[in-house]
C-alpha cells in the first residue's frame, strides 16, 4: 500500500487560481485525478472528502461523476496530441461537451463553437472548425484543448502542466489567454506545475507538495517572499535567475521512494536544518499567519527569510 | 582569452522536399541558412531558440551526423568536411554529445561500465583493466561511485542518468561537448546540480560546450557567449551578461519577456508575439522575423539584414541598429 | 451563484498498490510451469526412470501369457489396458501397445523427441529469423527490401502443407524435421524483429553510438539485438507449441519421425483403429501429452508477453 497522497486539504474560491507545485512523484497529478475520479484501478481514495458547492464528490458513483466531469470540472492536460482525438474534426471535439452538458443543438451549437474558438484566439474559426488536430501546431492544439474545456461551462478547470511542451513565446501567449478566459468567465483554476515562474505569474494561492503531503500553502506573495518550509526555500534557491551568475544550489539527495518513506518528516534527509524532532516526529500542519500553513517544526520559529 | 576551438562560417543545411509522385524536388527546407559563430577553448556558447529554429540541425552538423550543404566547420583549424576516415574518427573522439532524454540515451541492456567505456574502446587501444580504471575515475568526476559500474541504467534516476551521459561524453578527453537540452527533462532541483556539475567540469578540465536550450536563465548562467537563433539564422550574438542587460533584437526581447518572472511582483515587459513560427520551407522575405515583429519597418521585408557588430562583441541582425 | 465555492476541508488519503516495475510481474502461472518442468524432467531422465524400454516389448509374466494366449510363455502381450482396468497390470501402468511395448515408457521417451524437435527447430528458426530481421531493419534500403519480400512470400505459405512438401523432399528423420521446422518458421521472427529494430534504431543510445563512430557490427550485436530479444522470446514461446503440433502432425501423416521411434504423433497415428476397437488408451494418452505440452507452452508464452510489455513502458 503506497500512500500517493497522504492527508491534504485545501479550498478553492470562485475565480481563484490555485497553484499546486511539486516535482515528479510528489502526488500532484494523483490529487487531480482523484478529484475527478479518474484514478487507475489499483488506486483508491481511502478517506476524506471533496466538496464541490456543498456536494461530496468522493461518494459519487462513476455514472454520477459523468455529470460532474466537463460540466462542473474540466481538465487541460500536458500533451495536446493525447487530449485530442486524431480522428475527429475540431468542430466535433469542441462541440461535444456543449452538446452533452449544455444541451445545445444545430445552429446554436455551431455558434457556441465559433464563440469558444474565438475566445481562445484561433484565427478564422469557421475554417478551422473543419480541420483536424494533426493540421495544427502545438500551441494551437493546446488552445483548442482549452476551448474544449470551456465548452461545458465548468466552474473549475484543472490544468496539469499545460505548457510544458510548448515553446517559451507560445507559453506566454497561452498563459495570458488562460488569465483572460478566467477573468471573462469567472472560472476557478487549479494549476499544476513544477515551474515556479508560472506560479509567480498566474496564481493567487499556492500549495507545495512533497512525498504526498502539502508541506506549505500560502498566498503567492507570502510563498515567494517569506517561504517557511526548507523545501520551498531550496526550490526557490535552485532556480537560475536571469542576469546573474550566482552559484545555484540544488537540493542534495533524491525525492524519496513513496513505498519507503523516511521516519518523521519526509524531507529531513535532504534538509539542512533537520533536528532530532524532525527525524522522529512527523510535523503537523502549523498555521503561519496570513491564512497559510506549513508542515515543519521550524516554521513556527520565525524561520522566514528576508 | 583563449584561442578558437570551433569556427563555423556561413553554415547552411537545406533539405530537399520531393514531390510524392515523381520525386522531383519541389522546394528546400532551409533548416540552417548561413550561420557563423566561434567557440573558444574552455568556454561555453549557448544556442537559444524555439522549435523549428534549426538548433538541432546545427548540432547534427557539428557532430558530423549530417553533411553541410554549404559553409565550413573548422575544428582546430581543419574543415571537418575534408576529413577522411582516420581523422574523422579522431574528430568524433574529440567532439561528444549529451542528449535531452535521460531515459533513452543509455543502452538498457548494457552495464554502466560498458556504456561509459564504449567510446574509449572504440577510439583507443587500451586494456580492459585500464578502461575499468578510467570508468571509475569518470564516475567519481560526475559525483557517483566507481562501484556503480556494474549496475544497469534503469537502476538510476533521471538526474543520475544525465550524469552518466556526461561521464560517457568525457571518457575520451573530448575537447568539445554538444549538450542538446540536457536539463529540460529533469526536475527543477536536479537541474541546478547538473548545471553546477557542468560548470565545475569546465573549470577543471577546460572542455568547451555548445549548450543548446530554450531556457534563457539556464543558458545565461552557464554560457560565456550566447547566440540567438530564429528560423535558420542567427539574430543576435554576444556575451551572456551583456545580452541579459541589453538585449537588442526584438526576438531576443520577446524571449526575455516570455521567460517567467522569478517572483510575483517582478515587472515584466510584455512583448507578446503574434502568430506562430513560420515554416522553414517558405521563410518570409527579407528579415525572417518581420511578420511577427512589433517594431517592423518597410525595409524589413525587402532585404535580409546582416549580422553586424553594433558595439564591441555584440552582433545583431536588425535594421533598427 | 452562491454555490461556486468548492472546498476540500478534510483529508484525502489515496492508496495505491505499489507500482514499481519490479512488482508489476504477476507470478508465473504455476501449473504450466509445473507441467513443462515435469515433461522436461521425463525427457532428460527417461533412460533412468522409464520402467521399460521404449522399443522392445515388455517381458510378460507367466500369468499374463496364460491369460491371454493360454500358453506358459510368449514373446509379448499386446494391448494390455491401463492398470485400473480389468486385465491391467501395475507393471505397465498405462498399458501396452500392439507390439507389447509399455506405453508409459514410450511416452517418456517420446517427450524427448517432441521437446528436442520442437525446441531445437524453434530455436534454429528463431536465430535465423531474428538475424535476418535485424539486418533488414537496421541496414535498411535494399537489404530491407530483399529480405522482407522473401519473408512476405514465405509467410504466405501454409505451414503444414509446406512442411509436408519439404519432408517429402528430404525424407523422414529426426534432424530432418528440425531443419524443416526451421525453414518453415523463421519468417515470423524476421517480421517481429524488424519491427522492433525500426523503433530501437531511432532511440538516442543507438544514434549516440553511431555519432561516436562505433562499428556497425558492434551496434547490431551489443545495442540492438539485446533489446529485440524480449519480443523475440515471446514469439519463441508461442511457436514452441506450434512446432510440437507440426511435428506430431507430420509423424501422424507418416512423413515425420519414422517408426519405431516413440513420437507422440506417430503413436496416435498407429493406434487410430485401436481407438474404434475400444483400446482407447493407446491413442488418448499421447494425445493428452501433446495437449498438455502445447497448452503449457502457450500459457507461458502469453504470460511472458504481458509481463514483458508493460515493463517496457514502465522504463
Amino acid at each position: 500500500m503506497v500512500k500517493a497522497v497522504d492527508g491534504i486539504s485545501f479550498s478553492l474560491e470562485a475565480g481563484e487560481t490555485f497553484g499546486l507545485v511539486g516535482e515528479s512523484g510528489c502526488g500532484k497529478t494523483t490529487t487531480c485525478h482523484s478529484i475527478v475520479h479518474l484514478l487507475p484501478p489499483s488506486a483508491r481514495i481511502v478517506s476524506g472528502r471533496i466538496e464541490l458547492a456543498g456536494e461530496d464528490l468522493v461518494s459519487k458513483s462513476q455514472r454520477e461523476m459523468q455529470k460532474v466531469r466537463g460540466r462542473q470540472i474540466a481538465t487541460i492536460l500536458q500533451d495536446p496530441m493525447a487530449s485530442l482525438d486524431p480522428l475527429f474534426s475540431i468542430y466535433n471535439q469542441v462541440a461535444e461537451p456543449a452538446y452533452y452538458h449544455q444541451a445545445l443543438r444545430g445552429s446554436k451549437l455551431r455558434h457556441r463553437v465559433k464563440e469558444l474558438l474565438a475566445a481562445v484566439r484561433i484565427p478564422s474559426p469557421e475554417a478551422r472548425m473543419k480541420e483536424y488536430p494533426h493540421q495544427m501546431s502545438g500551441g494551437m492544439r493546446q488552445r483548442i484543448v482549452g476551448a474544449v474545456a470551456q465548452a461545458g461551462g465548468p466552474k473549475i478547470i484543472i490544468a496539469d502542466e499545460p505548457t510544458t511542451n510548448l515553446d517559451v513565446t507560445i507559453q506566454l501567449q497561452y498563459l495570458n489567454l488562460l488569465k483572460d478566459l478566467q477573468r471573462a468567465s469567472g472560472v476557478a483554476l487549479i494549476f499544476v506545475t513544477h515551474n515556479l515562474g508560472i506560479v509567480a505569474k498566474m496564481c493567487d494561492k499556492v500549495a507545495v507538495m512533497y512525498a504526498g503531503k502539502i508541506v506549505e500553502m500560502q498566498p503567492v506573495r507570502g510563498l515567494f517572499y517569506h517561504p517557511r518550509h526548507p523545501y520551498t526555500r531550496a526550490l526557490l534557491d535552485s532556480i537560475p535567475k536571469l542576469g546573474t551568475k550566482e552559484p545555484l544550489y540544488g537540493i542534495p539527495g533524491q525525492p524519496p521512494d513513496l513505498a519507503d518513506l523516511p521516519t518523521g518528516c519526509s524531507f529531513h534527509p535532504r534538509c539542512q536544518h533537520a533536528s532530532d524532532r524532525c527525524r522522529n516526529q512527523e510535523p503537523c500542519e502549523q498555521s503561519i499567519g496570513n491564512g497559510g500553513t506549513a508542515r515543519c517544526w521550524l516554521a513556527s520559529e520565525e524561520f522566514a527569510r528576508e | 582569452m583563449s584561442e578558437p576551438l570551433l569556427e563555423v562560417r556561413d553554415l547552411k543545411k537545406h533539405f530537399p522536399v520531393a514531390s510524392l509522385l515523381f520525386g522531383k524536388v519541389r522546394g528546400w527546407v532551409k533548416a540552417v541558412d548561413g550561420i557563423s559563430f566561434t567557440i573558444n577553448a574552455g568556454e561555453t556558447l549557448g544556442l537559444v531558440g524555439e522549435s523549428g529554429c534549426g538548433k538541432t540541425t546545427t548540432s547534427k552538423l557539428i557532430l558530423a551526423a549530417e553533411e553541410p550543404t554549404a559553409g565550413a566547420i573548422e575544428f582546430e583549424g581543419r574543415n571537418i568536411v575534408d576529413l577522411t576516415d582516420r581523422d574523422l574518427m579522431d574528430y568524433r573522439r574529440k567532439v561528444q554529445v549529451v542528449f535531452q532524454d535521460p531515459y533513452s540515451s543509455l543502452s538498457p541492456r548494457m552495464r554502466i561500465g560498458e556504456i561509459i567505456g564504449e567510446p574509449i574502446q572504440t577510439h583507443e587501444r587500451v586494456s580492459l583493466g585500464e578502461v575499468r580504471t578510467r570508468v571509475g575515475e569518470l564516475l567519481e568526476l560526475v559525483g557517483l561511485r566507481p562501484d556503480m559500474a556494474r549496475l544497469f541504467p534503469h537502476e538510476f534516476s533521471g538526474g543520475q542518468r544525465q550524469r552518466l551521459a556526461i561521464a560517457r561524453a568525457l571518457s575520451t578527453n573530448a575537447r568539445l561537448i554538444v549538450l542538446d537540452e540536457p536539463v529540460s527533462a529533469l526536475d527543477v532541483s536536479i537541474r541546478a546540480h547538473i548545471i553546477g556539475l557542468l560548470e565545475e567540469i569546465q573549470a577543471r578540465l577546460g572542455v568547451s560546450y555548445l549548450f543548446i536550450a530554450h531556457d534563457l536563465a539556464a543558458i545565461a548562467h552557464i554560457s560565456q557567449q550566447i547566440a540567438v537563433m530564429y528560423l535558420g539564422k542567427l539574430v543576435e550574438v554576444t556575451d551572456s551578461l551583456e545580452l541579459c542587460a541589453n538585449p537588442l533584437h526584438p526576438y531576443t526581447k520577446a524571449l526575455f519577456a516570455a521567460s517567467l518572472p522569478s517572483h510575483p511582483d517582478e515587472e515584466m515587459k510584455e512583448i507578446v508575439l503574434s502568430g506562430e513560427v513560420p515554416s522553414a520551407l517558405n521563410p518570409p522575405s527579407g528579415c525572417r522575423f518581420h511578420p511577427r515583429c512589433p517594431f517592423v519597418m518597410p525595409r524589413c521585408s525587402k532585404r535580409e539584414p546582416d549580422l553586424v557588430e553594433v558595439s564591441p562583441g555584440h552582433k545583431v541582425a536588425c535594421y533598427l541598429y | 451563484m452562491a454555490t461556486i465555492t468548492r472546498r476540500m476541508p478534510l483529508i484525502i488519503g489515496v492508496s495505491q498498490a505499489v507500482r514499481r516495475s519490479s512488482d508489476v510481474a504477476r507470478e508465473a502461472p504455476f501449473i504450466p510451469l509445473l507441467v513443462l518442468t515435469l515433461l522436461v524432467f521425463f525427457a532428460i531422465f527417461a533412460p533412468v526412470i522409464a520402467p521399460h524400454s521404449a522399443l522392445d516389448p515388455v517381458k510378460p509374466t507367466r500369468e499374463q501369457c496364460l491369460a491371454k494366449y493360454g500358453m506358459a510363455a510368449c514373446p509379448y502381450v499386446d494391448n494390455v489396458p491401463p492398470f485400473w482396468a480389468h486385465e491391467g497390470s501395475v507393471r505397465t501402468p498405462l498399458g501396452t501397445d500392439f507390439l507389447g511395448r509399455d506405453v508409459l515408457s514410450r511416452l517418456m521417451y517420446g517427450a524427448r523427441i517432441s521437446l528436442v524437435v520442437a525446441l531445437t527447430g524453434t530455436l534454429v528458426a528463431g536465430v535465423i529469423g531474428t538475424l535476418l530481421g535485424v539486418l533488414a531493419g537496421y541496414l535498411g534500403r535494399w537489404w530491407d527490401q530483399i529480405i522482407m519480400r522473401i519473408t512476405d512470400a514465405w509467410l504466405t505459405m501454409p505451414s503444414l502443407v509446406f512442411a509436408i512438401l519439404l519432408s517429402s523432399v528430404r525424407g523422414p528423420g529426426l534432424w530432418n524435421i528440425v531443419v524443416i521446422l526451421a525453414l518453415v518458421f523463421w519468417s515470423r521472427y524476421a517480421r517481429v524483429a524488424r519491427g522492433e529494430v525500426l523503433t530501437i534504431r531511432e532511440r538516442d543510445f543507438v544514434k549516440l553510438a553511431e555519432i561516436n563512430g562505433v562499428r556497425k557490427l558492434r551496434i547490431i550485436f551489443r545495442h540492438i539485438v539485446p533489446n529485440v530479444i524480449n519480443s523475440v522470446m515471446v514469439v519463441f514461446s508461442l511457436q514452441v507449441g506450434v512446432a510440437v503440433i507440426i511435428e506430431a502432425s507430420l509423424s501422424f501423416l507418416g512423413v515425420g519421425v519414422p517408426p519405431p521411434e516413440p513420437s507422440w504423433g506417430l503413436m496416435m497415428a498407429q493406434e487410430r483403429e485401436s481407438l474404434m476397437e475400444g483400446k482407447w488408451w493407446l491413442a488418448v494418452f499421447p494425445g493428452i501429452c501433446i495437449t498438455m505440452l502445447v497448452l503449457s507452452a502457450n500459457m507461458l508464452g502469453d504470460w511472458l508477453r504481458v509481463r514483458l510489455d508493460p515493463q517496457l513502458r514502465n522504463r
Side-chain angles (χ1 to χ4, degrees):
Chain A
M1 225 19 146
V2 165
K3 291 198 192 137
V5 172
D6 191 10
I8 68 169
S9 311
F10 62 87
S11 65
L12 181 70
E13 308 291 321
E16 188 183 38
T17 306
F18 182 79
L20 200 49
V21 178
E23 298 178 300
S24 39
C26 70
K28 51 194 202 290
T29 303
T30 310
T31 306
C32 296
H33 285 171
S34 49
I35 295 175
V36 287
H37 267 241
L38 284 178
L39 292 168
S42 54
R44 284 187 350 261
I45 298 181
V46 169
S47 66
R49 280 163 62 79
I50 306 174
E51 262 188 34
L52 173 60
E55 273 185 70
D56 180 32
L57 293 181
V58 176
S59 55
K60 284 191 191 262
S61 67
Q62 281 294 338
R63 172 156 264 172
E64 290 167 332
M65 279 307 291
Q66 280 182 12
K67 296 202 206 83
V68 175
R69 283 184 227 126
R71 175 83 185 85
Q72 318 248 37
I73 309 179
T75 55
I76 297 178
L77 301 174
Q78 182 174 338
D79 182 4
M81 254 344 248
S83 315
L84 295 174
D85 193 323
L87 297 177
F88 289 96
S89 69
I90 304 294
Y91 172 76
N92 223 303
Q93 303 196 50
V94 178
E96 193 176 4
Y99 184 93
Y100 281 112
H101 295 294
Q102 307 271 358
L104 292 175
R105 303 282 188 271
S107 62
K108 281 217 193 94
L109 186 55
R110 286 194 78 83
H111 185 74
R112 179 80 182 125
V113 171
K114 240 185 15 174
E115 252 179 14
L116 287 164
L117 288 177
V120 294
R121 305 203 191 115
I122 301 274
S124 14
E126 282 281 1
R128 293 296 198 184
M129 280 201 280
K130 303 195 191 87
E131 289 181 3
Y132 286 80
H134 67 266
Q135 297 172 275
M136 320 212 129
S137 70
M140 266 215 243
R141 282 184 216 144
Q142 202 60 316
R143 280 187 268 165
I144 290 174
V145 172
V148 172
Q150 280 281 76
K155 302 194 189 95
I156 301 172
I157 292 184
I158 301 180
D160 193 342
E161 309 243 26
T163 57
T164 310
N165 287 357
L166 302 178
D167 279 326
V168 181
T169 47
I170 310 290
Q171 175 178 264
L172 183 66
Q173 283 178 2
Y174 194 77
L175 292 177
N176 284 344
L177 177 67
L178 279 183
K179 260 207 139 43
D180 289 340
L181 276 180
Q182 215 192 356
R183 243 172 265 143
S185 63
V187 74
L189 196 55
I190 298 182
F191 211 110
V192 176
T193 179
H194 60 260
N195 188 332
L196 284 171
I198 294 183
V199 170
K201 184 180 164 64
M202 301 284 292
C203 303
D204 305 311
K205 195 159 79 178
V206 189
V208 178
M209 279 187 80
Y210 187 82
K213 305 188 183 65
I214 291 183
V215 295
E216 181 162 359
M217 179 156 65
Q218 286 203 56
V220 65
R221 282 182 179 73
L223 194 90
F224 276 87
Y225 302 132
H226 305 286
R228 298 302 198 99
H229 195 284
Y231 179 59
T232 317
R233 289 192 57 174
L235 273 185
L236 289 166
D237 282 337
S238 72
I239 302 172
K241 308 207 183 356
L242 268 183
T244 83
K245 296 223 186 200
E246 265 175 46
L248 300 170
Y249 295 103
I251 308 181
Q254 320 275 353
D257 183 353
L258 288 177
D260 189 20
L261 288 172
T263 55
C265 169
S266 313
F267 188 62
H268 87 250
R270 306 168 78 190
C271 182
Q272 293 177 295
H273 313 274
S275 66
D276 275 330
R277 192 175 187 201
C278 303
R279 283 183 264 276
N280 294 316
Q281 237 189 323
E282 212 186 297
C284 51
E285 269 187 341
Q286 326 240 354
S287 130
I288 48 173
N290 72 9
T293 60
R295 256 185 211 273
C296 180
W297 292 124
L298 305 164
S300 45
E301 293 161 16
E302 282 314 311
F303 197 59
R305 92 147 129 182
E306 264 76 67
Chain B
M1 275 310 291
S2 33
E3 347 72 68
L5 180 69
L6 182 82
E7 262 193 79
V8 168
R9 277 200 301 275
D10 206 31
L11 185 63
K12 292 191 190 177
K13 179 67 182 174
H14 297 168
F15 293 101
V17 176
S19 93
L20 277 174
L21 273 182
F22 295 107
K24 232 169 41 128
V25 175
R26 273 199 292 132
W28 296 88
V29 173
K30 303 195 177 121
V32 176
D33 202 21
I35 64 174
S36 310
F37 58 84
T38 308
I39 304 182
N40 296 321
E43 289 188 351
T44 305
L45 173 72
L47 191 57
V48 66
E50 298 179 301
S51 45
C53 71
K55 51 193 205 291
T56 310
T57 311
T58 307
S59 70
K60 285 194 192 155
L61 288 166
I62 296 197
L63 291 168
E66 296 266 6
E67 269 193 33
T69 313
I73 303 175
E74 281 187 15
F75 182 78
E76 290 177 337
R78 294 180 64 187
N79 192 342
I80 69 173
V81 178
D82 301 327
L83 293 178
T84 53
D85 291 333
R86 214 201 193 129
D87 297 324
L88 192 58
M89 279 299 273
D90 194 48
Y91 178 73
R92 292 191 190 285
R93 183 176 70 81
K94 292 187 181 148
V95 178
Q96 296 272 1
V97 63
V98 173
F99 283 127
Q100 174 176 0
D101 184 359
Y103 290 98
S104 69
S105 58
L106 300 173
S107 191
R109 299 208 158 231
M110 282 168 67
R111 290 181 199 268
I112 298 301
E114 193 178 348
I115 295 177
I116 297 183
E118 190 174 39
I120 305 179
Q121 293 189 304
T122 311
H123 294 280
E124 302 174 38
R125 291 200 180 291
V126 284
S127 65
L128 276 177
E130 161 125 18
V131 173
R132 223 175 295 140
T133 319
R134 278 167 70 170
V135 168
E137 287 167 10
L138 288 163
L139 283 169
E140 278 183 337
L141 183 64
V142 296
L144 295 169
R145 296 191 317 273
D147 62 350
M148 289 174 161
R150 57 179 187 75
L151 297 176
F152 285 95
H154 60 80
E155 304 182 67
F156 293 91
S157 71
Q160 287 173 322
R161 287 190 207 211
Q162 282 302 58
R163 290 174 194 262
L164 293 170
I166 294 172
R168 174 177 53 191
L170 293 168
S171 58
T172 54
N173 300 316
R175 302 215 51 210
L176 172 65
I177 302 185
V178 176
L179 297 139
D180 196 341
E181 309 251 20
V183 293
S184 311
L186 302 177
D187 273 329
V188 175
S189 59
I190 310 289
R191 285 185 203 180
H193 282 298
I194 302 295
I195 295 182
L197 175 69
L198 287 169
E199 289 168 343
E200 191 190 310
I201 290 177
Q202 185 170 63
R204 263 169 83 169
L205 300 178
V207 70
S208 305
Y209 297 137
L210 175 62
F211 195 97
I212 301 175
H214 58 258
D215 177 11
L216 264 179
I219 286 198
H221 200 276
I222 194 176
S223 316
Q224 280 80 21
Q225 287 260 309
I226 300 185
V228 181
M229 200 163 173
Y230 185 80
L231 214 57
K233 289 198 149 329
L234 293 182
V235 296
E236 191 163 356
V237 183
T238 184
D239 169 74
S240 69
L241 287 173
E242 164 74 7
L243 191 77
C244 296
N246 198 15
L248 294 179
H249 196 280
Y251 180 59
T252 317
K253 292 192 186 168
L255 281 181
F256 274 96
S259 64
L260 299 159
S262 51
H263 56 90
D265 293 320
E266 191 168 339
E267 282 286 314
M268 305 292 299
K269 280 198 282 300
E270 285 278 319
I271 302 183
V272 186
L273 294 178
S274 53
E276 312 265 333
V277 181
S279 126
L281 183 57
N282 239 341
S285 59
C287 170
R288 296 182 180 202
F289 187 61
H290 86 258
R292 305 172 75 195
C293 183
F295 308 109
V296 62
M297 302 181 295
R299 68 192 288 215
C300 300
S301 55
K302 302 232 175 57
R303 199 182 89 83
E304 266 193 73
D306 298 315
L307 192 67
V308 288
E309 192 158 343
V310 294
S311 62
H314 197 149
K315 300 194 191 122
V316 192
C318 181
Y319 288 124
L320 287 170
Y321 306 97
Chain C
M1 295 258 260
T3 51
I4 294 227
T5 307
R6 176 184 151 282
R7 285 185 290 120
M8 270 185 12
L10 299 174
I11 296 170
I12 288 185
V14 173
S15 315
Q16 287 176 330
V18 182
R19 263 194 300 134
R20 280 151 48 201
S21 50
S22 53
D23 299 277
V24 156
R26 292 176 357 227
E27 303 87 36
F30 176 65
I31 295 182
L33 214 53
L34 183 65
V35 168
L36 281 177
T37 317
L38 235 70
L39 287 174
V40 170
F41 180 74
F42 286 144
I44 298 179
F45 293 110
V48 178
I49 56 174
H52 306 281
S53 152
L55 301 176
D56 304 317
V58 177
K59 202 149 182 317
T61 63
R62 205 161 166 273
E63 292 76 21
Q64 281 178 318
C65 287
L66 276 173
K68 187 102 189 193
Y69 301 117
M71 302 194 298
C74 50
Y76 62 82
V77 176
D78 59 311
N79 297 317
V80 173
F83 69 92
W84 58 81
H86 169 58
E87 281 179 36
S89 141
V90 187
R91 277 178 74 223
T92 53
L94 294 182
T96 65
D97 68 355
F98 71 102
L99 284 180
R101 299 176 292 201
D102 177 32
V103 171
L104 180 60
S105 307
R106 279 176 69 81
L107 285 181
M108 286 190 189
Y109 279 95
R112 292 187 143 194
I113 294 180
S114 295
L115 283 172
V116 165
V117 170
L119 282 177
T120 319
T122 315
L123 200 66
V124 176
V127 169
I128 298 176
T130 307
L131 226 56
L132 286 176
V134 168
L135 286 176
Y138 187 66
L139 298 175
R141 283 174 299 157
W142 58 265
W143 281 90
D144 191 11
Q145 292 297 326
I146 294 181
I147 296 180
M148 276 301 114
R149 296 297 78 82
I150 297 179
T151 309
D152 287 338
W154 219 269
L155 279 171
T156 60
M157 297 191 267
S159 27
L160 189 55
V161 173
F162 189 31
I164 296 175
L165 174 69
L166 284 177
S167 80
S168 61
V169 166
R170 285 198 63 88
L174 197 84
W175 297 110
N176 283 348
I177 308 278
V178 173
V179 170
I180 290 172
L181 284 175
L183 285 175
V184 171
F185 288 118
W186 69 265
S187 39
R188 285 154 182 75
Y189 296 90
R191 201 110 281 253
V192 170
R194 175 185 176 269
E196 280 293 303
V197 170
L198 289 182
T199 318
I200 295 178
R201 188 170 73 165
E202 299 306 315
R203 295 186 55 195
D204 279 349
F205 64 88
V206 173
K207 290 200 162 336
L208 214 122
E210 290 170 353
I211 288 177
N212 236 306
V214 178
R215 275 180 304 278
K216 275 216 158 81
L217 218 61
R218 186 182 153 90
I219 294 183
I220 290 181
F221 282 104
R222 270 325 263 130
H223 290 273
I224 303 219
V225 169
N227 290 300
V228 163
I229 291 281
N230 269 1
S231 318
V232 169
M233 286 259 281
V234 173
V235 179
F236 178 87
S237 50
L238 293 172
Q239 285 287 345
V240 167
V242 177
V244 170
I245 294 191
I246 295 276
E247 180 270 316
S249 313
L250 287 179
S251 307
F252 186 86
L253 292 171
V255 290
V257 175
E261 296 294 331
S263 154
W264 292 342
L266 191 58
M267 287 166 74
M268 287 177 73
Q270 289 169 330
E271 308 294 358
R272 254 194 331 226
E273 292 89 32
S274 315
L275 201 55
M276 311 234 243
E277 292 167 14
K279 306 191 200 85
W280 57 271
W281 62 92
L282 298 169
V284 166
F285 287 131
I288 291 180
C289 285
I290 294 178
T291 311
M292 288 203 316
L293 174 54
V294 172
L295 271 181
S296 307
N298 276 0
M299 283 172 76
L300 214 57
D302 219 35
W303 167 81
L304 201 65
R305 182 171 55 88
V306 170
R307 184 182 190 277
L308 289 178
D309 235 352
Q311 256 202 339
L312 286 177
R313 254 156 241 152
N314 246 356
R315 286 176 183 155

